[in-house]
């Protein structure tokens, strides 16, 4: 098998019916049942029927994306798919990666991610935080523009905007207070950004405004028994591979209010000698990013039986 890394998507790739193509695949069915038992609600029905507005609530989006990623992973393994040499996850996708690596069980991870989502939503009142994607600009310029806006708006850290997702060399997501994000979009376009697109999200994820949520998550993480991963997991806060459960906990805590360094994660995967990156879970967002980060890498997506067969053929 060709050397490969599996990566797991985060918030934004969800859609009603995103697991329908698997039909009654035992691995997917059992994953949905396990998650439903852990949460005390029918996760399968929420994914299959929605409605879209319910799936878009971050308290639902985060758990269902975790579950969907794990379901696709377990289907891959059930169909004889080999273990990758490394795994990683974009934002909350890191929890899916940790489940795949047997560092967390799904029953542990689902309530943890639900709490993470609820804490994030409650940390910043709806409508007061925002995020935007800045396209066509080098990340260093985005960082500088955000720092300029934050300094100009002052107000003791209330008005803040930061670069929080480094998705590809010319796509960086910013987050913070709504007024500061709006101002940064204006400033960054003036500095040469091609576009500044407001994102339809309910909180400024990965910004310093999420620190109160991270403190709540930290308490919950301390109650969870994390095992040493059986597959190397590249975390997205430090771009590091950790074996020590205490260090994994700390990385998950800091990830909640720190940036997703995805460009560096993919570069690290390449530096490990892995030329193929398979996105495991709904959508093709990460597969597209992989190719934009490094054209030499092969990016593929695995989200239904047909793409599972394609990935098997690709790796043989």
């Amino acid at each position: 098998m060709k050397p490969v890394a599996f990566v797991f998507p985060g918030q934004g790739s969800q859609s009603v019916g995103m697991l329908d193509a698997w039909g009654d695949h035992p691995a997917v069915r059992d994953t949905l049942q396990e998650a439903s038992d852990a949460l005390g609600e029918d996760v399968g029905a929420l994914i299959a029927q929605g409605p879209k507005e319910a799936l878009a609530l971050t308290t639902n989006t985060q758990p269902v994306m975790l579950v969907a990623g794990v379901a696709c992973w377990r289907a891959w393994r059930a169909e004889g798919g080999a273990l990758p040499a490394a795994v990683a996850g974009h934002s909350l996708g890191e929890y899916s990666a940790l489940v795949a690596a047997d560092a967390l069980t799904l029953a542990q991870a689902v309530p943890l991610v639900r709490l993470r989502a609820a804490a994030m939503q409650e940390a910043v009142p709806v409508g007061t935080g925002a995020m935007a994607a800045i396209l066509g600009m080098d990340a260093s310029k985005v960082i500088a523009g955000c720092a300029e806006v934050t300094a100009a708006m002052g107000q003791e850290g209330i008005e803040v905007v930061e670069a929080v997702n480094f998705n590809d060399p010319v796509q960086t997501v910013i987050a913070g207070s709504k007024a500061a994000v709006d101002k940064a979009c204006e400033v960054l376009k003036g500095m040469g950004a091609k576009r500044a697109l407001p994102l339809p999200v309910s909180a400024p994820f990965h910004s310093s405004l999420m620190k109160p949520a991270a403190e709540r998550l930290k308490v919950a993480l301390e109650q969870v028994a994390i095992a040493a991963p059986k597959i190397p997991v590249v975390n997205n806060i430090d771009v590091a591979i950790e074996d020590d459960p205490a260090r994994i906990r700390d990385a998950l805590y800091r990830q909640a209010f720190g940036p997703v360094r995805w460009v560096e994660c993919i570069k690290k995967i390449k530096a490990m000698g892995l030329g193929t990156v398979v996105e495991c879970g709904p959508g093709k967002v990460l597969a597209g990013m992989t190719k934009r980060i490094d054209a030499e890498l092969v990016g593929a997506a695995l989200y239904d039986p047909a793409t599972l067969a394609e990935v098997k053929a690709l790796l043989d």
Side-chain angles (χ1 to χ4, degrees):
M1 189 186 84
K2 290 175 185 169
V4 63
F6 270 51
V7 297
F8 295 85
Q11 205 156 320
S13 291
Q14 71 278 359
S15 62
V16 175
M18 59 188 170
L19 295 177
D20 286 0
W22 294 103
D24 196 36
H25 193 292
V28 176
R29 184 185 64 225
D30 291 351
T31 300
L32 290 171
Q33 188 60 57
E34 186 181 341
S36 297
D37 291 345
L39 275 188
E41 62 186 77
D42 193 339
V43 176
L46 177 60
I47 292 173
Q49 299 161 22
K52 183 180 176 182
E53 294 73 21
L55 268 193
L57 292 170
T58 195
T59 49
N60 289 330
T61 308
Q62 294 196 28
V64 300
M65 283 304 299
L66 161 71
V67 172
V70 171
C72 294
W73 164 257
R74 289 181 174 176
W76 166 255
R77 296 290 290 144
E79 296 299 324
L83 287 174
V87 292
H90 190 282
S91 186
L92 77 95
E94 192 162 302
Y95 288 81
S96 306
L98 287 164
V99 173
D102 289 334
L104 284 171
T105 66
L106 183 62
Q108 288 174 316
V110 176
L112 198 55
V113 167
R114 167 59 64 78
L115 179 143
R116 177 184 187 267
M120 285 178 163
Q121 190 58 78
E122 290 159 19
V124 178
V126 175
T128 61
M131 299 180 78
I134 308 302
L135 309 180
M137 176 173 270
D138 183 79
S140 62
K141 285 190 175 180
V142 177
I143 293 168
C146 287
E148 180 186 314
V149 170
T150 299
M153 297 188 80
Q155 294 188 29
E156 298 174 1
I158 297 168
E159 298 294 352
V160 63
V161 58
E162 298 154 353
V164 296
N165 287 2
F166 298 96
N167 287 336
D168 72 32
V170 290
Q171 186 201 116
T172 303
V173 173
I174 63 173
S177 61
K178 188 173 188 315
V181 169
D182 288 347
K183 182 64 177 174
C185 287
E186 182 186 313
V187 167
L188 291 167
K189 280 195 282 190
M191 289 171 62
K194 284 184 183 172
R195 298 182 76 188
L197 301 175
L199 298 179
V201 296
S202 53
F205 303 116
H206 297 289
S207 74
S208 57
L209 297 178
M210 292 288 102
K211 188 79 165 27
E215 296 302 330
R216 287 177 59 187
L217 178 62
K218 187 177 189 177
V219 172
L221 283 164
E222 285 166 1
Q223 312 305 313
V224 175
I226 297 177
K230 293 180 181 173
I231 306 168
V233 181
V234 180
N235 73 33
N236 56 57
I237 186 69
D238 299 319
V239 196
I241 295 169
E242 303 287 4
D243 292 325
D244 177 25
R247 291 177 71 89
I248 293 170
R249 276 192 198 90
D250 182 57
L252 290 173
Y253 156 68
R254 288 182 293 112
Q255 183 224 60
F257 63 96
V260 176
R261 297 163 61 186
W262 195 247
V263 172
E264 292 171 88
C265 288
I266 295 300
K267 286 181 176 178
K268 184 174 180 72
I269 285 167
K270 186 187 182 186
M272 294 169 73
L274 310 179
T276 304
V277 180
V278 174
E279 178 174 6
C280 186
K284 304 177 184 177
V285 173
L286 301 185
M289 285 183 194
T290 295
K291 295 169 188 174
R292 292 195 299 275
I293 291 167
D294 192 320
E296 291 182 358
L297 292 172
V298 175
L302 192 172
Y303 52 83
D304 62 11
T307 50
L308 186 150
E310 288 171 10
V311 170
K312 269 195 168 180
L314 175 68
L315 297 180
D316 281 344

